[in-house]
Amino acid sequence: MEAMQAKLRSDYRAPQYTIDQLHLDVKLDDHATVVTATSQVIRNDADASQLHLDGDHLTLRSVAINGNALADDQYQQIGGGLLLEADLDQFELTIVTEIDPANNTALEGLYKSGGAFCTQCEAEGFRRITYFLDRPDVLAKYTTRVEADKAAYPYLLSNGNKIDSGDLAEGRHFAIWQDPFPKPSYLFALVAGDFDLLEDNFITRSGRNVALQLFVDRGNLYRGEHAMASLKRAMKWDEQRFNLEYDLDIYMVVAVDFFNMGAMENKGLNVFNSKAVLADPQTATDDEYHRIESIIGHEYFHNWTGNRVTCRDWFQLSLKEGLTVFRDQEFSSDLGSPVVERIDAVNMMRSHQFAEDAGPMAHPIRPDKVLEMNNFYTVTVYDKGAEVIRMMHTLLGEQKFQLGMQLYFERHDGQAVTCDDFVAAMEDASGVDLKLFRRWYSQSGTPVVTASERYDASAGQYHLTLTQHTPATADQADKQPLHIPVAIELLNANGQAITLVSDGQPVANVLNFTEAEQTWVFDNVAGPVVASLFENFSAPVKLQQQISNADLALIMANGSNDFACWDAGQRLLTNEILAIVDGAQSRGSDLLLDAIRQVLLDERRDPALIALMLALPTEATLAQQRSDVDVELLHQSRRQLLAQIGQDLDDELLARYRDCHDGEYQQHGQAVGRRALKNACLFILAIAGKATTQELCGRQFAEADNMTDRLAALNAMNQGQLPAVTDALASFEAQWRDNPLVMDKWFSQVAMAPKGDVLADIQVAMQHLQFDIANPNRVRALIGAFASGNRNQFHAIDGSGYRFLTDQLIELNAINPQCAARIITPLMAWKEVDEERQRLMKAQLQRLAALPNLSRDLYEKVSKSLA
Ligand code: B3K
Ligand code: ZN
């Protein structure tokens, strides 16, 4: 494995040259697309005489300055890029290149997705289209002329407004697009294809009419309606909550089948994975409906947080991503259930982000060192980044936070800026001191906060001492104390919150915890209290608090704060599962069963919340509680507890199931919550494996009028390994074999079956007509679901799971490195398992390391894993 050069945040230099206008002419052809790029270049640094342009996988045809072709000794091609003699203050640069979109399986730059041409330029894909200053702090106005065969590609799209179009000889046609807003190259987009078009419009609050256009594969128009409605909700919400209005006359969304991630926020022309757009009740689950709304919102919100104000360099990625995730979370929360949204976000943090902190890829939300930028679109940059924004929101309050946003846009609209600029705007607008808080941007790792408590009955005082400590991470040994907002409630013996008083004054329920150790004293505390700390997950930390299972059960069943109830439940469940792992208990306690029974019987509680309270912490979350916990024992213990709940509470579960089994399908909040609860009950009953459940699942599977119920029944049969699952899988396949997005659900069911010979089934599934290793959706649905969603089988002690994943990674390394680097994650987590498994995992990592053509994407992850 040869060392590859990383980039450092500290090495940032302002660009020596900039380009303020770019005219692109793209003549589309499967294997020989010709791109003519005409740039207006301006020298920023008088001492500079050579211009270095980024480039990758390009064939250079010609290069000219001010219309004069350069001679061979006036430029060099180095490392994919181009170095030019350019001792001029201002000039026009014309470069002609040729590219091969049909063979571009990396899905970066310009490529073919099915029958359409499309682009993906973030982070550094534009350099695969032409030689350019492919960095986010070079902002240019783009004019793009697209030319292609008219019959095959009736729609020719790019950013901004269409200013001209027409027919050409030989059945070709063209369109010219102009984007009035200067933008970095990563926001460039071009699409050419044959689609069905769903049209609508939105009147902005200032009365402008925006045309909304959604392009989907032919025959899928009705499946785009939910995405269109979501877009209109997002546009309205951003005006109301963030005071932000859309700025172009047209907003286009194109759904494509080959896409490395969910979607991309290109200016005025979003490109989406079809999975994140298409939905109808027959093919999409409630979760997918929700995800579509959230991603449509996310990409739309980027128009201000990302596009109007962008990142100075890629180390600042969280500037736009953390903030935009925070905004999309708030959007979902305002339109739906705040507690459900919060629990989803916290589950993500605990299952995946805490694990990332504990593994070889640990990095701060603003990384210091990057080899392949695509590897840093992580749960840390996105989700922990959003938590950091949320903490500022908690410290400032909504009103001051919005003043901060306003100042941020006043100062930086049209600029490429840093995370520090964002914090400075928040600080200056609010007057809240965020000096220490900035450390969240530079320090990686999950802080551990330890609480010690004392109740002084004679003084009526409750004393709380908190200490904080962040364990060393793979990237950073020394850690400093952070500014941690601690949302606290003191609950009396009935689980109700008491008023917080300190020194005779009422105090806010958010403590500013800024030192290694701090103590707070609360007065007027009439009796012993239970402290509910980090309510709503007020900071992304792990909490260590001595609290009895009885108190947890009390909060779970009676607490007045929904999040605190759920969280107490999770802690109680964790304690019980680990007690079974340790052999300290052979089964779940009566206390736990009673608490769950109470939750199940609670008529006032939102069914969606009850469903979440019935979900046990994931194996991934549990595995982090212990070092090298036995994989199988953990899996069995968790499953055993679930089965016991299903057996002991079968009447209650069945009653709830029946109660929530509604008539005709509806797609709105309450109906969704009731389906979630019904299906949570069915799942637990299936794990308990009762004969009656078999029939229940079978009937639901056969009679369901929507995908949520059908898939839930199939999943319950599969996870319970009920005999009927074989026929159900076959009938599902027969019904949906022509719809690849639905088949992804089938592939995932195959991959996640909890059985020893699952790999044999996966190998068969890979031969299915719909399986295509070049399509990232298929890869994630089958291979990814196995490695990350079937933990017990992936870690099979014969090493077969590791070997299988590595075989696929070797193939993907050559086809699509980005996709490979996404699904390698479970193989990197060897620290979580026992020595024998560690040895087996490292042997597979060594196999990858020995590859002669190892991509940068995998190199970075493999070398860190083996370091
Ligand atoms: N900004 C894109 C992600 C680009 C990923 C590049 N590897 C989608 C988003 O976060 O909105
Ligand atoms: Zn984003």
Side-chain angles (χ1 to χ4, degrees):
M1 193 163 50
E2 233 175 278
M4 294 188 189
Q5 200 58 43
K7 281 191 188 150
L8 302 181
R9 180 166 68 89
S10 55
D11 283 347
Y12 175 81
R13 297 289 175 275
Q16 291 185 307
Y17 294 83
T18 193
I19 295 171
D20 68 350
Q21 283 185 57
L22 174 64
H23 186 282
L24 279 174
D25 181 298
V26 184
K27 294 191 172 56
L28 291 169
D29 179 88
D30 274 8
H31 292 290
T33 288
V34 177
V35 180
T36 305
T38 308
S39 303
Q40 305 306 322
V41 187
I42 299 164
R43 178 157 63 181
N44 287 337
D45 175 350
D47 294 336
S49 63
Q50 289 188 315
L51 169 64
H52 180 264
L53 298 174
D54 303 296
D56 192 10
H57 285 81
L58 298 171
T59 304
L60 179 64
R61 283 219 182 150
S62 67
V63 47
I65 284 183
N66 293 330
N68 304 315
L70 294 196
D72 288 355
D73 62 346
Q74 288 172 301
Y75 68 89
Q76 290 172 58
Q77 285 179 268
I78 35 171
L82 195 59
L83 187 67
L84 310 173
E85 298 303 321
D87 197 358
L88 294 163
D89 290 335
Q90 214 164 340
F91 56 96
E92 184 177 278
L93 174 67
T94 308
I95 302 179
V96 182
T97 48
E98 193 181 299
I99 47 183
D100 182 356
N103 279 326
N104 181 354
T105 56
L107 314 184
E108 261 194 293
L110 177 70
Y111 64 92
K112 292 263 336 241
S113 167
F117 286 96
C118 67
T119 54
Q120 172 53 37
C121 294
E122 188 177 1
E124 297 177 331
F126 191 73
R127 62 188 63 184
R128 284 173 167 254
I129 297 175
T130 186
Y131 294 100
F132 200 67
L133 291 170
D134 190 14
R135 46 188 287 170
D137 58 352
V138 170
L139 307 181
K141 285 193 181 173
Y142 285 59
T143 307
T144 307
R145 182 184 181 281
V146 191
E147 184 191 312
D149 181 77
K150 187 170 180 176
Y153 310 101
Y155 290 103
L156 305 176
L157 314 173
S158 190
N159 318 85
N161 305 307
K162 186 156 47 164
I163 56 170
D164 197 8
S165 62
D167 291 338
L168 300 165
E170 293 171 22
R172 289 175 76 82
H173 69 151
F174 76 96
I176 301 180
W177 292 81
Q178 193 170 53
D179 184 353
F181 292 93
K183 64 166 173 287
S185 50
Y186 83 86
L187 289 173
F188 170 76
L190 180 158
V191 173
D194 186 10
F195 304 102
D196 272 345
L197 170 58
L198 184 63
E199 288 191 278
D200 208 325
N201 73 315
F202 180 80
I203 310 284
T204 69
R205 60 162 181 203
S206 70
R208 279 184 318 102
N209 185 17
V210 180
L212 308 179
Q213 300 190 328
L214 179 63
F215 297 85
V216 296
D217 278 354
R218 288 216 172 265
N220 282 291
L221 220 47
Y222 66 105
R223 292 192 172 125
E225 275 159 20
H226 171 65
M228 182 63 89
S230 301
L231 175 59
K232 290 161 77 174
R233 286 194 287 272
M235 295 178 87
K236 182 121 211 107
W237 179 86
D238 216 14
E239 290 184 349
Q240 289 174 337
R241 172 89 188 261
F242 276 80
N243 208 18
L244 296 171
E245 184 177 330
Y246 187 60
D247 54 8
L248 283 167
D249 297 331
I250 182 167
Y251 192 89
M252 295 173 282
V253 173
V254 184
V256 300
D257 296 325
F258 286 68
F259 207 64
N260 273 332
M261 60 269 173
M264 178 64 210
E265 71 264 23
N266 316 300
K267 185 78 187 186
L269 175 56
N270 287 186
V271 178
F272 267 64
N273 188 324
S274 53
K275 183 178 166 52
V277 174
L278 302 178
D280 72 287
Q282 299 312 311
T283 58
T285 62
D286 293 335
D287 285 348
E288 287 168 321
Y289 269 82
H290 179 267
R291 205 174 104 87
I292 288 169
E293 181 183 68
S294 141
I295 299 182
I296 287 273
H298 181 100
E299 306 313 329
Y300 175 72
F301 303 142
H302 266 316
N303 190 54
W304 278 96
T305 51
N307 301 6
R308 289 288 289 249
V309 183
T310 195
C311 303
R312 186 194 71 173
D313 55 76
W314 289 121
F315 297 98
Q316 317 293 331
L317 180 60
S318 202
L319 173 82
K320 73 176 178 82
E321 294 305 346
L323 179 55
T324 305
V325 171
F326 171 76
R327 276 155 51 70
D328 86 49
Q329 289 175 351
E330 288 296 289
F331 168 59
S332 295
S333 175
D334 286 353
L335 266 62
S337 155
V339 68
V340 168
E341 287 310 318
R342 199 61 196 127
I343 290 171
D344 280 353
V346 172
N347 276 333
M348 181 67 147
M349 287 295 295
R350 288 183 178 153
S351 282
H352 300 290
Q353 201 281 322
F354 287 3
E356 187 158 82
D357 275 340
M361 272 291 287
H363 54 278
I365 63 167
R366 182 188 56 204
D368 288 313
K369 193 175 168 188
V370 165
L371 210 147
E372 171 50 58
M373 189 54 215
N374 285 324
N375 284 337
F376 287 83
Y377 289 76
T378 58
V379 274
T380 299
V381 167
Y382 274 63
D383 297 87
K384 185 177 178 185
E387 293 300 324
V388 170
I389 301 289
R390 185 172 294 281
M391 286 191 282
M392 279 189 265
H393 185 268
T394 302
L395 293 170
L396 272 62
E398 167 73 6
Q399 209 188 348
K400 286 184 177 163
F401 183 85
Q402 291 298 348
L403 288 176
M405 290 299 300
Q406 198 182 320
L407 184 60
Y408 174 64
F409 292 121
E410 270 167 33
R411 283 182 179 169
H412 301 301
D413 188 14
Q415 298 177 2
V417 304
T418 64
C419 298
D420 282 333
D421 293 322
F422 180 82
V423 181
M426 283 290 153
E427 193 164 47
D428 294 346
S430 68
V432 174
D433 180 358
L434 296 172
K435 193 156 169 286
L436 178 61
F437 185 84
R438 283 176 171 79
R439 230 173 238 163
W440 281 104
Y441 282 90
S442 52
Q443 185 162 294
S444 57
T446 312
V448 178
V449 173
T450 307
S452 54
E453 304 163 77
R454 184 163 65 84
Y455 176 61
D456 180 347
S458 57
Q461 285 181 329
Y462 164 80
H463 298 242
L464 172 69
T465 298
L466 298 179
T467 60
Q468 55 166 304
H469 162 74
T470 304
T473 48
D475 63 323
Q476 235 177 28
D478 297 323
K479 305 288 181 183
Q480 309 286 321
L482 295 162
H483 182 170
I484 300 177
V486 187
I488 173 173
E489 276 192 330
L490 297 181
L491 308 179
N492 63 21
N494 304 318
Q496 306 306 312
I498 65 168
T499 311
L500 300 181
V501 176
S502 199
D503 288 333
Q505 298 296 318
V507 288
N509 79 321
V510 179
L511 311 175
N512 281 294
F513 178 27
T514 55
E515 288 157 38
E517 179 175 326
Q518 250 170 289
T519 298
W520 292 265
V521 181
F522 298 95
D523 305 324
N524 302 353
V525 181
V529 286
V530 174
S532 171
L533 298 170
F534 294 101
E535 284 209 327
N536 280 321
F537 198 67
S538 66
V541 303
K542 287 185 181 169
L543 171 64
Q544 288 184 344
Q545 179 186 20
Q546 292 298 326
I547 178 167
S548 68
N549 282 355
D551 282 340
L552 289 172
L554 178 89
I555 303 175
M556 179 183 177
N558 303 314
S560 52
N561 176 304
D562 285 341
F563 182 88
C565 295
W566 170 80
D567 204 27
Q570 294 292 296
R571 286 161 78 183
L572 178 57
L573 286 161
T574 302
N575 290 347
E576 299 252 346
I577 296 167
L578 294 178
I580 297 173
V581 168
D582 293 341
Q585 270 173 229
S586 61
R587 58 196 313 279
S589 68
D590 292 345
L591 183 91
L592 172 73
L593 271 296
D594 281 343
I596 297 178
R597 181 180 293 111
Q598 278 191 59
V599 168
L600 262 173
L601 294 175
D602 191 340
E603 295 285 339
R604 291 156 314 167
R605 215 188 277 275
D606 177 6
L609 177 61
I610 301 181
L612 288 166
M613 293 181 77
L614 293 177
L616 268 47
T618 60
E619 286 170 44
T621 306
L622 292 163
Q624 293 166 42
Q625 305 287 322
R626 296 284 166 85
S627 57
D628 53 282
V629 57
D630 184 316
V631 175
E632 252 180 277
L633 184 61
L634 178 66
H635 173 79
Q636 299 303 354
S637 305
R638 181 179 179 279
R639 200 178 159 96
Q640 182 197 324
L641 181 64
L642 203 54
Q644 185 199 336
I645 295 171
Q647 274 145 13
D648 293 7
L649 301 180
D650 61 345
D651 289 343
E652 291 85 348
L653 287 162
L654 207 54
R656 266 293 186 172
Y657 175 87
R658 296 223 163 93
D659 169 51
C660 291
H661 195 62
D662 294 333
E664 208 176 308
Y665 171 86
Q666 292 183 12
Q667 180 55 239
H668 60 70
Q670 256 196 334
V672 168
R674 290 169 61 78
R675 269 195 293 279
L677 178 51
K678 171 183 75 177
N679 289 321
C681 294
L682 186 67
F683 181 82
I684 300 175
L685 288 165
I687 298 293
K690 289 217 170 177
T692 44
T693 316
Q694 175 107 255
E695 198 204 309
L696 217 55
C697 287
R699 197 165 347 117
Q700 178 168 322
F701 179 77
E703 292 171 7
D705 63 353
N706 65 86
M707 181 53 82
T708 305
D709 283 344
R710 175 153 301 142
L711 186 63
L714 181 61
N715 184 55
M717 290 188 242
N718 193 25
Q719 289 305 313
Q721 283 295 288
L722 308 183
V725 71
T726 314
D727 287 348
L729 276 169
S731 102
F732 192 96
E733 189 275 340
Q735 188 178 2
W736 296 111
R737 61 171 67 123
D738 295 329
N739 183 325
L741 286 181
V742 180
M743 280 305 291
D744 282 344
K745 305 183 209 310
W746 184 84
F747 286 126
S748 293
Q749 287 299 320
V750 170
M752 296 200 294
K755 53 184 201 152
D757 58 353
V758 63
L759 273 180
D761 292 353
I762 293 176
Q763 302 278 7
V764 173
M766 288 180 74
Q767 303 307 314
H768 194 280
L769 272 180
Q770 286 293 357
F771 187 80
D772 177 0
I773 195 151
N775 187 307
N777 286 351
R778 303 299 94 75
V779 171
R780 275 193 291 262
L782 189 61
I783 304 163
F786 166 71
S788 66
N790 200 346
R791 198 169 184 277
N792 194 38
Q793 297 306 326
F794 173 65
H795 286 290
I797 194 64
D798 62 0
S800 55
Y802 311 142
R803 226 168 19 245
F804 169 75
L805 178 61
T806 306
D807 291 345
Q808 308 314 314
L809 287 171
I810 290 172
E811 202 175 335
L812 277 169
N813 175 59
I815 299 171
N816 185 339
Q818 223 181 107
C819 182
R822 288 240 153 210
I823 63 165
I824 195 182
T825 307
L827 191 62
M828 298 165 64
W830 53 261
K831 275 208 183 114
E832 284 176 12
V833 295
D834 54 85
E835 257 177 54
E836 174 60 6
R837 287 184 171 87
Q838 292 197 4
R839 195 185 59 73
L840 292 164
M841 289 170 88
K842 286 188 210 165
Q844 296 304 315
L845 288 163
Q846 296 286 5
R847 255 181 90 197
L848 291 169
L851 286 182
N853 61 342
L854 189 63
S855 60
R856 292 160 65 81
D857 310 60
L858 279 183
Y859 168 83
E860 182 167 42
K861 294 196 168 181
V862 170
S863 58
K864 281 186 176 173
S865 304
L866 290 171

